[in-house]
Amino acid sequence: MGYRVRPEAYGEALHEVYDRMYPGEDTAGAVEFLASLVKPGAKVVEFGAGTGRLAVPLAERGLTVHAVDASPSMLDKLRANDPGGTITTECADIAECKGDGTFDLCYLVCNTLFMVPDAERQIEVLRRAAEHVVPGGHVVVEVYEPTGLHRYGRPFVQVRHLSHDQIMIDHTDVDPLRQLLVQVHSVVGGGKVTNYTELSRYAFPRELDLMARLAGLGHEARYGDWRGGEFTHGARSHVTVYRRRT
Ligand SMILES: C[S@@+](CC[C@H](N)C(=O)[O-])C[C@H]1O[C@@H](n2cnc3c(N)ncnc32)[C@H](O)[C@@H]1O
C-alpha cells in the first residue's frame, strides 16, 4: 500500500511564497527548450502548472496552453499572471485527470512527479500524461537526481532566503529504502512561523524510464539541464524527453 497526500495541500500551504522559493531556476532555458519541441501555435499541457512560471511565457510565445493543478490558490495566481486569459485551467489531480489525446506536448517540471508519493500512482500520472498527447507526442519530465540524498545518513537542514525579512527553513529526512522524503518547510517572518510537512517520493532515472514504459512512453533523450547539457555522473537533476508510443 502506497502513501497518499491531499494533492492540493502543497499549493494551498505555500502559494504565498512559492514564487520566491526557486530563484535559481532556469526559466528562460526551460521555455526555450519546451517551445523547441513543438511547432508554433501547438497545443501543450502542463501538469502541476503552479503560478504559471512556464505556462505564462509559453502562452506569450503563441502556444495554446492548458494548465492542470490541484491547488485552487495556485491557479488563482496563475490566472492573475495571465491577464489576457489565454491559458485554460483545470483544477484536478494529475494522477486522475483524463486526457483526450490532442496535445502535442505534456510537461511536468520542478520535481512535480515526485510530489505524488507512491510509485504506482506516479505511473498513473505518466499514463495520464501519455493519454493527453497525440501518438508520437512529447512528454517531458524534469526531476532531481536522488543519488546524493543517500549520502546524508541523517536529517539535514537548508535555509532559503525569501525576502529581506522572511526565510524558509527546510528540514529534510530521507528514507532510502522507501525512497521517501519528509520535508518540513517552515516560513519564518513577521514574528511568526508557519509549517508545512511535505511527503514526496523520488525515483532514479532508469526506474523512471521503466515507469514511463509501463505508461506507454518511449525514452527519447535525457539532458543534465534545459540547455541540452550532457547528463553525467553527479548531475543534480535531469530533463527527460519521452514520446507516446502509439
Ligand atoms: C513544485 S510546484 C511546480 C510549479 C510549476 N510547474 C513551476 O515549475 O513553477 C508543483 C505544483 O504541482 C501541484 N501539484 C502537486 N501535486 C499535484 C497533484 N497530485 N495533482 C495536481 N497538481 C499537483 C502543486 O499544487 C504545485 O502547484
Side-chain angles (χ1 to χ4, degrees):
M1 185 63 191
Y3 292 88
R4 293 288 281 270
V5 295
R6 285 188 306 117
E8 73 282 11
Y10 174 95
E12 292 307 291
L14 298 177
H15 62 278
E16 290 295 354
V17 295
Y18 178 76
D19 283 341
R20 288 175 281 137
M21 282 175 66
Y22 297 99
E25 285 299 295
D26 182 9
T27 299
V31 167
E32 206 55 52
F33 181 94
L34 293 167
S36 76
L37 292 177
V38 292
K39 297 196 176 110
K43 265 184 83 176
V44 306
V45 55
E46 178 166 359
F47 275 15
T51 60
R53 183 178 65 91
L54 297 181
V56 170
L58 284 169
E60 284 169 355
R61 285 177 73 122
L63 298 182
T64 302
V65 183
H66 183 60
V68 183
D69 203 288
S71 160
S73 300
M74 288 296 230
L75 288 176
D76 282 347
K77 286 199 171 276
L78 183 148
R79 284 186 287 265
N81 288 332
D82 175 37
T86 54
I87 301 172
T88 54
T89 58
E90 179 180 344
C91 191
D93 185 340
I94 53 174
E96 294 177 5
C97 57
K98 292 277 176 211
D100 62 359
T102 60
F103 290 89
D104 302 293
L105 163 70
C106 175
Y107 60 97
L108 307 83
V109 303
C110 206
N111 310 317
T112 298
L113 181 66
F114 291 175
M115 296 173 80
V116 177
D118 170 68
E120 289 303 322
R121 219 161 155 79
Q122 289 175 343
I123 296 169
E124 276 308 301
V125 172
L126 293 168
R127 275 201 190 105
R128 299 284 81 81
E131 189 180 85
H132 272 73
V133 299
V134 296
H138 292 94
V139 172
V140 174
V141 178
E142 181 207 22
V143 284
Y144 62 84
E145 205 291 313
T147 303
L149 287 177
H150 288 201
R151 296 197 194 103
Y152 281 97
R154 67 177 73 150
F156 58 93
V157 172
Q158 293 163 310
V159 180
R160 297 176 211 237
H161 168 90
L162 296 177
S163 67
H164 70 280
D165 58 358
Q166 198 178 41
I167 58 168
M168 178 182 279
I169 302 172
D170 294 317
H171 178 277
T172 303
D173 200 357
V174 184
D175 179 341
L177 293 184
R178 288 180 292 179
Q179 297 179 203
L180 293 175
L181 283 192
V182 180
Q183 286 180 293
V184 182
H185 303 289
S186 303
V187 178
V188 183
K192 60 178 186 159
V193 181
T194 55
N195 297 310
Y196 172 66
T197 302
E198 178 185 0
L199 178 69
S200 58
R201 178 194 181 270
Y202 52 88
F204 291 84
R206 289 295 180 194
E207 178 190 4
L208 194 60
D209 295 345
L210 287 173
M211 293 161 76
R213 192 193 297 178
L214 289 171
L217 296 167
H219 177 274
E220 183 167 275
R222 170 164 288 130
Y223 303 102
D225 58 41
W226 287 112
R227 311 264 165 172
E230 202 182 338
F231 178 67
T232 53
H233 181 65
R236 295 182 60 202
S237 62
H238 59 93
V239 174
T240 299
V241 182
Y242 299 105
R243 285 187 103 134
R244 178 172 162 179
R245 284 206 294 263
T246 52

